[in-house]
């Protein structure tokens, strides 16, 4: 039998459906979340993957069993749930999505009343209630009610277009031709609809909202072949790909080349800082190009641990204007403090319109780094190996500055290396980024060899 897979973290409760994640567990988490909140309503939405319906019914059962009213917003991007929580003054929210994980996975993402990921302290309380099964089950006449609201994608789009950092007039005048690959996920409706409101001519591929992923769903260059072809075929200005819950956005330039998901955040930061001075917060896995661009615009830059909750927490602490995660996750706290592919798309088009250059030319103006991101199965003695690696790091990397907040990150003269275990999968991730292609490649091979 395959070992059941269930990964619990502040990023959510993720597992393989039928082998780790099952409706009984999900109902208990619904009851635990409702018991933690005690009263009020909870917004529940999901991405489009076919297991979503089962998980949604189970989590709603748990919530209403403890007297919580549920607003079911249907198939929506994760950021739409976050916006609905705030808009409805709800006590919390749950989005059912395993984000970029393949279709055998599903997950629960929890949000508190601010529409942001629950804090580590809230997560601890939630798990304590879950483990002890301290559920506030209600009698038959006091269970919660379920209502459906289908308008939250429209509201999300409307709010996105009200954001002051995008130059709508200039964007609309450009009438950009955009190919969208939503991997048949929750961005299938929202992203094309918003782009049309920006007067873009939109060509939709993989936007049927079925949750049947036509390729691996993570929007990284190797999974964007279809989008690349379509951009060339239709002579589009840009290709946009989102992950299944549409909080991340990756771009393909007008020549059909993926520019790497890192540059979505870089361009969004550039655009926001063009309009206003402020602080930038990015995570420790984010390309240095974003830091460079932010600093060139006079911004202070702070690094946080990986994971939306960690980035947002630091954004609040530093009163950040803009930031996010280099995996295509743009966060604009004055709009809402969560990764959002819609605001990312609007900011990128605004940047293109302001710079008056094709995307490939705009990318040429940015500092150039060579980055390799790899992942491998997590060895049992990972922590021990990390300690050993740190001891010998100077031999490989020369003089380094070490950051131990999230795995290990070594900054050295020519770049940086980060090794960390994933929050969402039983793997470890390695990122090597330097100003030299051969050096990046050599270091990647050497570090992977050490850990495997
Ligand atoms: Mg996602």
């Amino acid at each position: 039998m395959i070992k059941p897979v269930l990964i619990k973290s502040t990023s959510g409760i993720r597992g393989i459906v039928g082998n780790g994640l099952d409706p009984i567990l999900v109902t208990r988490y619904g009851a635990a979340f409702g018991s933690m909140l005690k009263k009020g309503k909870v917004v529940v939405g999901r991405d489009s993957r076919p297991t979503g319906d089962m998980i949604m019914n189970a989590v709603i059962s748990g919530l209403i069993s403890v007297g919580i009213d549920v607003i079911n917003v249907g198939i929506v991007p994760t950021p739409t749930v976050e916006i609905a929580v705030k808009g409805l003054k709800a006590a919390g929210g749950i989005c059912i999505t395993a984000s970029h994980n393949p279709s055998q996975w599903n997950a629960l993402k929890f949000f508190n009343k601010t529409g942001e990921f629950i804090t580590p302290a809230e997560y601890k309380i939630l798990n304590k209630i879950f483990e002890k099964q301290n559920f506030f089950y209600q009698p038959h006449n006091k269970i919660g009610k379920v209502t459906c609201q289908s308008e939250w994608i429209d509201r999300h789009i409307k709010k996105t277009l009200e954001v002051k950092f995008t130059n709508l007039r200039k964007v609309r005048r450009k009438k950009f031709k955009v190919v969208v690959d939503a991997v048949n996920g929750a961005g299938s409706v929202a992203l094309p609809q918003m782009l049309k409101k920006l007067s873009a001519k939109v060509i939709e591929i993989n936007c049927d909202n079925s949750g049947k992923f036509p390729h691996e769903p993570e929007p990284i260059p190797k999974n964007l072949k279809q989008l690349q072809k379509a951009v060339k075929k239709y002579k589009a200005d840009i290709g946009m790909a989102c992950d299944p819950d549409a909080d991340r956005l990756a771009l393909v330039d007008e020549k059909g080349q993926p520019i790497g998901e890192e540059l979505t955040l870089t361009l969004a930061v550039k655009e926001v800082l063009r309009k206003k001075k402020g602080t930038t917060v990015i995570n420790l896995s984010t390309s240095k190009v974003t830091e460079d661009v932010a600093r060139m615009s006079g911004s202070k830059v702070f690094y946080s641990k990986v994971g939306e909750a960690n980035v947002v927490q630091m954004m609040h602490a530093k009163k950040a204007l803009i930031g996010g995660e280099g995996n295509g996750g743009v966060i604009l706290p004055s709009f809402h403090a969560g990764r959002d592919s819609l605001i990312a798309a609007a900011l990128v088009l605004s940047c293109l319109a302001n710079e008056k250059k094709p995307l490939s030319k705009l990318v040429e103006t940015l500092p150039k780094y060579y980055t390799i991101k790899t992942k491998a199965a997590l060895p049992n003695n990972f922590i021990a190996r990390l300690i050993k690696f740190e001891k010998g790091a100077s031999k490989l990397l020369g003089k380094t500055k070490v950051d131990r907040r999230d795995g290990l990150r070594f900054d050295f003269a020519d770049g940086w290396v980060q090794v960390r275990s994933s929050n969402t999968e039983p793997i470890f991730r390695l990122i090597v980024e330097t100003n030299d292609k051969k050096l990046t490649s050599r270091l990647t091979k050497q570090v992977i060899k050490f850990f495997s």
Side-chain angles (χ1 to χ4, degrees):
M1 199 190 119
I2 307 163
K3 208 172 132 205
V5 180
L6 188 71
I7 298 172
K8 298 180 177 188
S9 77
T10 44
S11 300
I13 308 298
R14 281 181 199 225
I16 300 227
V17 175
N19 191 33
L21 193 77
D22 58 61
I24 293 163
L25 175 121
V26 169
T27 304
R28 280 171 55 191
Y29 262 107
F33 190 59
S35 300
M36 179 174 90
L37 300 175
K38 295 193 178 71
K39 59 182 181 187
K41 54 194 173 208
V42 168
V43 175
V44 181
R46 69 173 181 95
D47 75 15
S48 57
R49 64 185 82 211
T51 58
D53 211 21
M54 172 188 79
I55 304 291
M56 188 170 217
N57 284 319
V59 84
I60 289 176
S61 284
L63 286 164
I64 62 174
S65 73
V66 295
I68 293 287
D69 290 332
V70 169
I71 315 287
N72 177 347
V73 293
I75 297 176
V76 294
T78 293
T80 311
V81 172
E82 299 175 23
I83 286 170
V85 168
K86 264 171 95 176
L88 291 163
K89 295 195 170 54
I94 298 178
C95 193
I96 296 146
T97 173
S99 195
H100 62 271
N101 292 49
S103 43
Q104 62 269 37
W105 292 78
N106 214 330
L108 306 175
K109 285 183 175 179
F110 297 99
F111 305 96
N112 60 28
K113 65 178 181 188
T114 64
E116 295 166 18
F117 270 85
I118 55 171
T119 63
E122 288 164 335
Y123 173 72
K124 222 170 150 183
I125 298 169
L126 173 69
N127 268 312
K128 206 168 166 190
I129 299 171
F130 173 85
E131 296 300 342
K132 294 198 164 168
Q133 301 198 42
N134 266 338
F135 307 138
F136 297 145
Y137 286 134
Q138 296 298 307
H140 74 99
N141 54 350
K142 286 195 175 151
I143 64 164
K145 292 179 193 63
V146 184
T147 42
C148 294
Q149 292 189 3
S150 58
E151 69 271 27
W152 280 96
I153 285 181
D154 288 342
R155 291 202 195 180
H156 183 176
I157 293 171
K158 190 167 172 277
K159 279 180 162 292
T160 308
L161 298 177
E162 285 165 4
V163 169
K164 295 281 179 279
F165 296 104
T166 49
N167 193 327
L168 295 188
R169 198 172 44 85
K170 273 192 184 169
V171 171
R172 285 183 174 132
R173 212 187 295 148
K174 282 279 186 185
K175 298 197 180 352
F176 287 111
K177 194 190 267 189
V178 187
V179 185
V180 175
D181 180 350
V183 71
N184 294 331
S188 294
V189 176
L191 189 55
Q193 258 184 29
M194 188 203 66
L195 292 167
K196 284 172 195 165
K197 288 210 157 43
L198 289 170
S199 304
K201 183 172 177 349
V202 183
I203 296 126
E204 299 174 27
I205 61 167
N206 306 325
C207 290
D208 74 5
N209 216 15
S210 66
K212 291 181 183 141
F213 307 144
H215 53 75
E216 275 190 58
E218 189 165 22
I220 51 177
K222 77 176 178 68
N223 299 330
L224 304 181
K225 302 260 177 341
Q226 254 184 302
L227 180 61
Q228 291 177 249
K229 262 192 202 155
V231 166
K232 280 203 266 192
K233 182 179 165 191
Y234 295 103
K235 297 189 170 43
D237 297 299
I238 188 168
M240 292 183 170
C242 51
D243 71 334
D245 68 323
D247 55 354
R248 290 167 57 183
L249 186 80
L251 307 172
V252 167
D253 72 18
E254 79 289 352
K255 293 177 176 166
Q257 292 305 313
I259 66 166
E261 71 278 15
E262 289 289 335
L263 295 185
T264 310
L265 179 58
T266 312
L267 295 176
V269 165
K270 188 177 171 70
E271 190 57 11
V272 168
L273 294 174
R274 186 198 305 280
K275 311 266 164 53
K276 200 177 169 185
K277 290 263 173 290
T279 299
T280 304
V281 170
I282 52 183
N283 75 24
L284 285 161
S285 297
T286 301
S287 171
K288 201 163 176 303
V289 63
T290 297
E291 177 187 338
D292 292 352
V293 164
R295 288 200 193 282
M296 280 188 259
S297 304
S299 176
K300 275 189 192 160
V301 179
F302 295 95
Y303 281 89
S304 78
K305 282 173 71 172
V306 177
E308 183 169 320
N310 299 316
V311 182
V312 167
Q313 202 173 27
M314 184 171 277
M315 286 187 121
H316 289 319
K318 302 292 180 191
K319 296 191 170 47
L321 177 64
I322 177 74
E325 303 199 275
N327 58 12
V330 173
I331 303 175
L332 184 65
S334 58
F335 175 36
H336 74 99
R339 300 183 303 192
D340 187 334
S341 66
L342 297 195
I343 192 61
L347 286 170
V348 165
L349 289 190
S350 183
C351 189
L352 273 181
N354 271 318
E355 295 283 330
K356 300 189 187 87
K357 292 184 184 75
L359 182 55
S360 67
K361 293 278 178 233
L362 175 54
V363 169
E364 280 173 20
T365 67
L366 304 171
K368 179 73 190 156
Y369 290 101
Y370 297 88
T371 316
I372 297 181
K373 299 181 183 183
T374 36
K375 55 184 179 182
L378 195 66
N380 285 334
N381 54 353
F382 183 67
I383 300 288
R385 286 195 198 203
L386 267 187
I387 294 166
K388 200 173 162 201
F389 182 73
E390 188 181 348
K391 279 187 186 148
S394 60
K395 262 189 232 149
L396 189 65
L397 308 170
K399 194 169 179 291
T400 63
K401 198 179 99 212
V402 190
D403 192 313
R404 297 182 189 84
R405 284 178 293 165
D406 204 343
L408 289 175
R409 172 170 160 142
F410 303 91
D411 279 86
F412 48 96
D414 301 315
W416 58 278
V417 168
Q418 189 196 29
V419 195
R420 58 181 283 274
S421 58
S422 164
N423 292 332
T424 54
E425 291 171 81
I427 55 164
F428 76 90
R429 293 185 189 275
L430 165 68
I431 305 180
V432 178
E433 181 173 87
T434 76
N435 48 22
D436 182 89
K437 199 173 178 180
K438 280 187 189 151
L439 178 62
T440 295
S441 168
R442 178 169 63 79
L443 288 178
T444 301
K445 281 184 202 137
Q446 285 170 322
V447 179
I448 281 286
K449 199 173 156 200
F450 180 89
F451 281 94
S452 42

